[in-house]
Amino acid sequence: MNKIAVLGLSLAGLGMFLPLLIVKANRLVVGNSVGIFGLPMFFLLLPLLFLAFFLAFSKIKSLALMLLGNFMFLLLLALLSLSSRELGVNPISRVAPASGYWLLLLGAWLVAYAGALGMRQLWLSSLGIVFGIGFLLTGGLDYLSVLREYSANQSEFWQELLHHIQLAFAAWVLSSLLGGLIGAYAAFRPRISSVALGLANALQTVPSIALFALLIPFFSALAKNFPILETLGIRGIGFAPALTALTLYGVLPVLRGTILGLQNVPEAPLEAARGLGFTQKQLFWQVQVPLAVPLLLQGLRLAAVSLIGLTALSSLIGAGGLGGFIFTGLGSGAIDRVLLGAIPTLILALLVNSSLRQLEFRLIPRGLK
């Protein structure tokens, strides 16, 4: 019995009894839930669920489960496209997947994953996701509420996405340099390292919104007393205070990773290097830093991912970013607008996390993996 496939089928079965879609006359009103009896085409899934349930308890090869799970995933996307086109004919109406649909989609993916796991080819479980991306790019899901919101704000979306990436990247670079330099200096000085980590930890206890607010009068005073700063764009609100706050928040993971990485280098390779006549500079760059790489890279990755999320708050002080969609959507009760900011932020964080993980895997010496 394939327990993962059974779990997926249980979730999919539960999803059939829950609302599948939410239909709203416009983006602001409360929508009506539509279940399987309102969407007869979703009954096409029933024979596939029974077939998958049979396969999960049989000894048939995992290939069948993998193919069936991916086919169910693709079918769900097609049914969502057809249903949204049928229900969202009015240009101002909104159609969004409900809880039942998400459970069905998760169940289909788990069935595909169970089959791919049995084949020891986990990448095969992502075929349905690849189809979904293709469906999205070819306009198959254009009638969904969040994509209609995107169509209405397309130019603004790309502009704010660019601002979000620029601000998060600039803060990550600065926090990496600051945390790395302080960490490298403090790692071999116990008193300084404890003070540096204590200050960084104390800073993390300050709520992010409070820190943004505290920096506004500081930068306002700077701009007032030094007019040249205001001509450079440094004022109480905007890019400068947002970048400063984000940089301060990004320092701790880098600082901690640097200090712990350098302090936990084994003594044996250090003694061997000294015996070979290494200078202190050679010892640092050729022995200590390479052996500290795992924790160094982990700190950089944690800082990057956390900064992408925190950058959403920068819109509260006029620095732009995807957070603008989130907060204006919350203020007007437009959930589609909230999702237009939240979903890309989540995807961006996942992509950065995955990319830096791959970089870790390639840069960490084989003996330390």
Side-chain angles (χ1 to χ4, degrees):
M1 181 179 67
N2 195 315
K3 294 181 180 179
I4 297 178
V6 172
L7 173 62
L9 291 168
S10 300
L11 293 176
L14 177 62
M16 297 288 279
F17 294 97
L18 295 174
L20 297 176
L21 296 178
I22 297 175
V23 182
K24 300 188 290 185
N26 57 64
R27 71 176 189 172
L28 299 178
V29 300
V30 178
N32 298 317
S33 300
V34 181
I36 190 171
F37 294 105
L39 300 166
M41 60 183 70
F42 272 78
F43 279 105
L44 293 172
L45 290 168
L46 285 176
L48 296 178
L49 290 174
F50 282 118
L51 177 58
F53 193 76
F54 168 76
L55 292 176
F57 283 90
S58 69
K59 296 182 180 180
I60 297 177
K61 292 183 179 179
S62 300
L63 175 64
L65 269 180
M66 184 275 296
L67 292 175
L68 184 59
N70 280 309
F71 179 73
M72 288 169 59
F73 198 97
L74 180 59
L75 180 61
L76 281 166
L77 292 174
L79 293 176
L80 178 63
S81 176
L82 293 172
S83 300
S84 61
R85 287 176 185 272
E86 180 182 338
L87 298 172
V89 177
N90 191 327
I92 65 170
S93 64
R94 294 290 190 267
V95 179
S99 56
Y101 182 83
W102 292 118
L103 284 178
L104 279 166
L105 206 63
L106 176 60
W109 180 80
L110 285 174
V111 171
Y113 177 80
L117 186 63
M119 298 172 63
R120 297 184 181 178
Q121 298 288 336
L122 290 181
W123 65 272
L124 291 173
S125 63
S126 62
L127 290 178
I129 299 174
V130 173
F131 290 142
I133 295 173
F135 228 66
L136 179 67
L137 295 177
T138 55
L141 302 175
D142 283 353
Y143 281 79
L144 290 181
S145 57
V146 67
L147 292 177
R148 282 196 165 178
E149 190 69 28
Y150 164 75
S151 297
N153 301 275
Q154 189 168 350
S155 59
E156 182 187 359
F157 171 81
W158 290 109
Q159 182 180 356
E160 296 303 334
L161 176 62
L162 181 61
H163 286 164
H164 196 104
I165 294 173
Q166 288 174 337
L167 185 55
F169 181 74
W172 181 64
V173 171
L174 290 176
S175 61
S176 298
L177 290 174
L178 187 61
L181 291 174
I182 296 175
Y185 178 79
F188 309 106
R189 298 166 178 83
R191 288 186 179 180
I192 296 178
S193 66
S194 62
V195 171
L197 286 173
L199 289 174
N201 280 311
L203 182 63
Q204 291 288 314
T205 64
V206 179
S208 50
I209 296 179
L211 183 58
F212 279 108
L214 289 172
L215 289 174
I216 291 176
F218 173 75
F219 277 93
S220 296
L222 278 180
K224 183 178 180 180
N225 293 314
F226 302 96
I228 190 173
L229 295 179
E230 189 168 5
T231 62
L232 296 174
I234 298 176
R235 51 181 67 91
I237 60 173
F239 187 83
L243 179 62
T244 303
L246 292 172
T247 299
L248 292 174
Y249 268 108
V251 164
L252 178 60
V254 181
L255 180 65
R256 183 188 289 127
T258 305
I259 291 177
L260 294 179
L262 292 173
Q263 286 181 344
N264 287 283
V265 173
E267 189 62 30
L270 296 177
E271 289 296 330
R274 293 190 187 101
L276 292 172
F278 277 43
T279 64
Q280 192 61 37
K281 185 177 180 180
Q282 290 174 321
L283 192 69
F284 178 76
W285 288 108
Q286 299 182 31
V287 180
Q288 291 172 312
V289 169
L291 291 175
V293 160
L295 288 176
L296 290 173
L297 294 178
Q298 187 180 54
L300 291 172
R301 178 169 56 83
L302 291 174
V305 173
S306 63
L307 286 174
I308 289 172
L310 286 171
T311 300
L313 296 174
S314 64
S315 62
L316 294 173
I317 57 171
L322 294 170
F325 294 108
I326 297 174
F327 294 113
T328 56
L330 288 172
S332 60
I335 300 302
D336 299 332
R337 192 171 179 84
V338 175
L339 294 176
L340 186 60
I343 292 175
T345 302
L346 174 62
I347 293 174
L348 192 60
L350 291 174
L351 287 175
V352 168
N353 183 63
S354 177
S355 300
L356 291 180
R357 273 191 179 277
Q358 290 298 317
L359 185 63
E360 285 182 40
F361 180 78
R362 293 180 180 276
L363 292 182
I364 293 176
R366 183 175 298 178
L368 297 179
K369 292 179 182 177

